[in-house]
Amino acid sequence: NNNKRTNIPFLQNVFSNHQFLYSTVDTQFIDENPDLFNLKPTQNRAQKLLHYLGHVMVNGPTTPIPVKAKPSSIDPVIPPVTMGDPPVGFRDVLLRDGPEGFAKAVRNHQGLLLMDTTFRDAHQSLLATRVRTHDLKKISPFVSHNFSNLYSLENWGGATFDVAMRFLSECPWKRLQELRALIPNVPFQMLLRGANAVGYTNYPDNAVFKFCEVAKENGMDIFRVFDSLNYVPNMLLGMEAAGSAGGVVEAAISYTGDVSDPMRQKYSLDYYLQLADELVKAGTHILCIKDMAGLLKPEASKLLVGALRDRFPDVPIHVHTHDTAGAGVAAMLACAEAGADVVDVAVDSMAGMTSQPSMGAIVACAKGTKLDTGIALEKVFDYSEYWEVARGLYAPFDCTATMKSGNADVYENEIPGGQYTNLHFQAHSMGLGNKFKEVKKAYAEANKLLGDLIKVTPSSKIVGDLAQFMVQNDLSRAEVEERADELSFPLSVVEFLQGYIGIPHGGFPEPLRSKVELERGKILHIKALALGDLNKAGQREVFFELNGQLRSVLVKDTVAMKEMKFHPKAQKSIKGQVGAPMPGKVLEVKVEVGSKVEKGQPLCVLSAMKMETVVNSPMAGTVKAVYVTADASLEGDDLILEIEE
């Protein structure tokens, strides 16, 4: 029971009393030390936590999903596919000539090559990564036959691994095997978060190595390796793991800031060139620029890609972006003009906003120029139509339910495409939908507080957590800096400042880092055991094991409370209301509405404690209402029926 008072706070005071600890005390001790009774209220965090968890277990999550959209009832039509084997593609080159030969072929290719993100990043950005293997498989033969000249198809890694297991109840490995069987000719590409692999924490080296080995065995070809802080030691691990598995290593520089802005030079052209130097020296087959927030403008694209092309004439360059501001097509064409070999696109109906730039748009713009992609535009239209209808099946997860357009303010707040939609959704479900602009402003401020980070999973989550913490507690950047030693920051922020995910470019922010309280919280081991049945008061007992001991809490079941019929009591003051003389079960009701009754006539029979009790009429009259049926359980004084004279 929560409200039982204990003497623990008093004893804690006794045990911290200097006299008690170091000298003699007598019976006057308590009288002489009245401050022993200044009892600090206990935080009782464990009990509060159990209550919260119990409430979620009984009544579901407390943040309502802000979307009322229903999945469409129309199934997508699969465009026709010619019989026979699909045409030869870049994967045949890779299997024949190995990663080095593949890279050479890509660099020597005339025209612009594309990676299609529809199978991974597009739906990760727009549909909360919820697309099932089922819908990917249906369109796979079409992709294999009509887009054989793609550089690659991105279909694995990133959040797909985690979402497949947690929300789709699917096996991510099986997805890889099944797609591989249907698309033998186009290279598959995945996103590997350096030492984080496809998770959100640093894994032991041997786990990352084994992961890459098994991924390659099951059909993966190209591993795009990045680190959320461009922390080279973490990247080298992922590169080595992918390389020793026999994969194509595509090391990615995560891009932030604006190299064309002389006022923003923490992440300068020089910074990126030096980083590229290290990655090329380490043996990357392909060099990638990962513009995860869509910050590359055409001018910066020319500068950056132009400088990389001059320095590394033989290394293929691959550019990734998001179209949040709407300038993605322009930026990618500028990259291609400046010498990029490959750019990322998504099929039109899954493109734009926080996804990748449109495949159709880039194919059309490049047609008949030296950048011609060699992809047939009408096939892109067929592909797009399939996804337009398939997307309707995922309406409850579609970001367009709460977000109607992209926004150029991303140049200011630098929120990655994959996070922008999530933040927007979270803001809505936390009731901050009308304050989304504030959340974005706070994101920019939180980024400055943390020293201007490269923001991509998992560093972006840390900035987002701090931003929402600031909005919910109405804190400005100055207030956070001032009160850093007393605020209880989100755990992710504390762990970042403790160096959990690596060391950011330019080091950690001071004095913030030293001020944040680095005392670890308590670690509680909680195991949910069981949910009890509904009791008469509409509560359920929820059983936990807390640090090895059995604990339980009573939680009101809000749905059951609405459905439970609370039985009215018989009012003594109202003549003719007949109540149950004691708790019991109704065996038989001997009268019905309209029955004439005499005083003393049996009205109903109760069974209580194995004894039968007959309830007799206190007066003569007509039965006006009956409130019980056979088998009902009654408490004492529960209303059985009403009689009027």
Side-chain angles (χ1 to χ4, degrees):
N1 183 0
N2 304 350
N3 19 13
K4 69 166 181 243
R5 303 296 294 273
T6 69
N7 60 354
I8 292 173
F10 169 73
L11 291 174
Q12 282 172 328
N13 286 347
V14 171
F15 287 133
S16 54
N17 179 285
H18 193 269
Q19 185 189 350
F20 182 84
L21 291 176
Y22 299 107
S23 54
T24 52
V25 295
D26 54 23
T27 49
Q28 300 298 303
F29 171 63
I30 289 178
D31 297 340
E32 288 162 1
N33 291 281
D35 58 338
L36 292 175
F37 291 100
N38 292 345
L39 305 182
K40 276 201 203 79
T42 56
Q43 280 184 301
N44 202 355
R45 286 181 292 193
Q47 194 69 13
K48 282 182 193 154
L49 187 56
L50 291 186
H51 258 282
Y52 170 74
L53 293 172
H55 180 65
V56 171
M57 284 167 67
V58 172
N59 298 310
T62 47
T63 47
I65 288 192
V67 175
K68 297 282 177 276
K70 292 273 179 285
S72 137
S73 57
I74 304 167
D75 276 333
V77 176
I78 303 160
V81 177
T82 45
M83 297 297 288
D85 289 339
V88 168
F90 267 102
R91 182 154 192 262
D92 301 278
V93 177
L94 173 58
L95 295 178
R96 190 184 66 222
D97 302 338
E100 280 83 7
F102 170 77
K104 220 181 229 97
V106 168
R107 184 67 196 101
N108 294 334
H109 178 82
Q110 296 302 303
L112 176 62
L113 287 168
L114 304 179
M115 171 171 104
D116 176 19
T117 69
T118 306
F119 279 40
R120 202 282 299 179
D121 204 8
H123 74 90
Q124 181 170 325
S125 300
L126 300 176
L127 305 176
T129 332
R130 289 308 199 279
V131 173
R132 303 160 300 167
T133 302
H134 171 79
D135 291 316
L136 298 170
K137 275 165 60 180
K138 287 204 295 198
I139 194 68
S140 289
F142 180 83
V143 170
S144 172
H145 280 266
N146 294 289
F147 302 126
S148 58
N149 48 358
L150 285 172
Y151 162 85
S152 67
L153 179 69
E154 191 196 33
N155 62 358
W156 216 61
T160 61
F161 206 87
D162 155 51
V163 174
M165 295 196 297
R166 270 205 307 169
F167 298 117
L168 305 179
S169 304
E170 286 189 2
C171 171
W173 298 101
K174 200 167 158 203
R175 172 178 298 188
L176 184 54
Q177 293 157 354
E178 293 183 333
L179 294 179
R180 183 79 283 169
L182 295 169
I183 308 178
N185 55 339
V186 178
F188 284 175
Q189 179 153 348
M190 75 167 288
L191 187 63
L192 189 83
R193 306 184 177 118
N196 294 8
V198 286
Y200 303 91
T201 173
N202 281 11
Y203 293 109
D205 297 7
N206 59 353
V208 179
F209 272 78
K210 190 70 185 170
F211 179 84
C212 290
E213 186 189 313
V214 181
K216 174 75 176 63
E217 279 168 13
N218 282 275
M220 188 41 62
D221 299 304
I222 306 172
F223 294 77
R224 178 181 284 168
V225 181
F226 79 100
D227 176 76
S228 72
L229 300 172
N230 284 340
Y231 185 54
V232 177
N234 280 353
M235 288 185 69
L236 293 177
L237 171 75
M239 290 169 69
E240 210 180 311
S244 64
V248 176
V249 179
E250 184 182 297
I253 296 168
S254 295
Y255 177 81
T256 192
D258 181 355
V259 291
S260 64
D261 180 353
M263 301 310 295
R264 298 211 47 194
Q265 290 300 306
K266 176 173 181 178
Y267 300 102
S268 61
L269 188 56
D270 251 11
Y271 164 77
Y272 293 115
L273 288 173
Q274 276 178 346
L275 197 54
D277 258 338
E278 291 190 68
L279 301 178
V280 171
K281 269 199 199 84
T284 190
H285 298 121
I286 315 271
L287 185 62
C288 172
I289 300 164
K290 182 174 164 61
D291 174 23
M292 57 280 163
L295 304 178
L296 270 175
K297 300 170 190 154
E299 190 54 32
S301 302
K302 277 185 232 160
L303 264 174
L304 182 57
V305 175
L308 289 170
R309 179 44 72 231
D310 286 348
R311 188 171 293 196
F312 311 109
D314 302 326
V315 180
I317 295 173
H318 184 170
V319 188
H320 163 85
T321 191
H322 288 256
D323 200 18
T324 314
V329 172
M332 291 306 97
L333 290 172
C335 287
E337 287 287 345
D341 301 273
V342 194
V343 298
D344 286 4
V345 295
V347 71
D348 310 24
S349 53
M350 292 285 286
M353 300 207 340
T354 56
S355 175
Q356 275 64 51
S358 154
M359 178 189 269
I362 285 186
V363 168
C365 291
K367 201 173 174 170
T369 73
K370 67 179 202 307
L371 300 176
D372 200 314
T373 60
I375 286 174
L377 204 51
E378 52 282 2
K379 295 301 180 190
V380 178
F381 301 154
D382 291 345
Y383 187 33
S384 187
E385 188 181 22
Y386 171 85
W387 279 108
E388 190 169 350
V389 182
R391 185 170 173 173
L393 303 173
Y394 298 93
F397 303 104
D398 200 316
C399 71
T400 53
T402 52
M403 199 169 125
K404 298 302 176 207
S405 67
N407 196 326
D409 69 2
V410 69
Y411 293 128
E412 188 181 276
N413 55 50
E414 302 179 344
I415 300 170
Q419 185 182 30
Y420 196 98
T421 35
N422 286 358
L423 268 180
H424 194 267
F425 192 81
Q426 280 171 353
H428 271 262
S429 56
M430 289 164 74
L432 300 173
N434 56 339
K435 293 188 172 173
F436 187 50
K437 197 165 166 228
E438 270 177 58
V439 173
K440 290 191 285 191
K441 276 251 182 299
Y443 189 97
E445 293 294 286
N447 175 48
K448 289 174 191 150
L449 269 169
L450 295 173
D452 189 7
L453 299 182
I454 291 160
K455 293 166 290 297
V456 60
T457 314
S459 57
S460 50
K461 180 184 180 307
I462 295 158
V463 179
D465 288 351
L466 181 55
Q468 289 195 320
F469 173 75
M470 288 166 74
V471 173
Q472 280 186 301
N473 297 293
D474 205 11
L475 295 164
S476 68
R477 180 172 149 202
E479 287 169 318
V480 173
E481 282 180 322
E482 216 166 282
R483 299 175 45 198
D485 38 12
E486 57 183 72
L487 292 169
S488 41
F489 287 94
L491 182 64
S492 61
V493 176
V494 177
E495 288 185 342
F496 161 71
L497 293 170
Q498 289 175 322
Y500 270 54
I501 68 164
I503 299 166
H505 172 58
F508 289 100
E510 288 297 355
L512 182 76
R513 184 190 197 188
S514 309
K515 279 172 91 173
V516 171
E517 181 191 30
L518 293 187
E519 173 220 0
R520 309 286 307 138
K522 274 190 198 163
I523 292 183
L524 302 173
H525 295 280
I526 299 176
K527 192 167 157 191
L529 299 176
L531 272 182
D533 292 335
L534 204 60
N535 68 12
K536 291 214 176 68
Q539 299 166 311
R540 293 179 189 274
E541 194 165 7
V542 187
F543 296 90
F544 294 98
E545 190 180 281
L546 172 68
N547 294 343
Q549 297 193 329
L550 187 66
R551 291 276 284 272
S552 73
V553 290
L554 275 175
V555 177
K556 272 203 170 72
D557 186 327
T558 48
V559 176
M561 293 284 285
K562 284 184 195 139
E563 291 168 4
M564 279 178 77
K565 304 277 187 283
F566 284 102
H567 205 96
K569 298 286 183 196
Q571 305 291 323
K572 296 260 187 313
S573 55
I574 300 176
K575 200 176 171 197
Q577 288 204 351
V578 180
M582 61 174 74
K585 196 170 178 180
V586 178
L587 288 185
E588 186 192 352
V589 181
K590 290 180 172 290
V591 293
E592 52 191 41
V593 174
S595 302
K596 297 265 186 287
V597 293
E598 297 302 318
K599 185 173 179 176
Q601 181 179 331
L603 301 173
C604 94
V605 185
L606 296 183
S607 147
M609 309 188 15
K610 301 209 170 53
M611 279 179 358
E612 289 189 10
T613 307
V614 178
V615 179
N616 296 325
S617 177
M619 58 187 279
T622 310
V623 176
K624 179 177 155 194
V626 178
Y627 292 95
V628 299
T629 51
D631 267 359
S633 292
L634 299 180
E635 301 283 307
D637 289 332
D638 275 358
L639 184 58
I640 295 175
L641 45 73
E642 284 189 81
I643 297 170
E644 53 185 355
E645 286 180 279

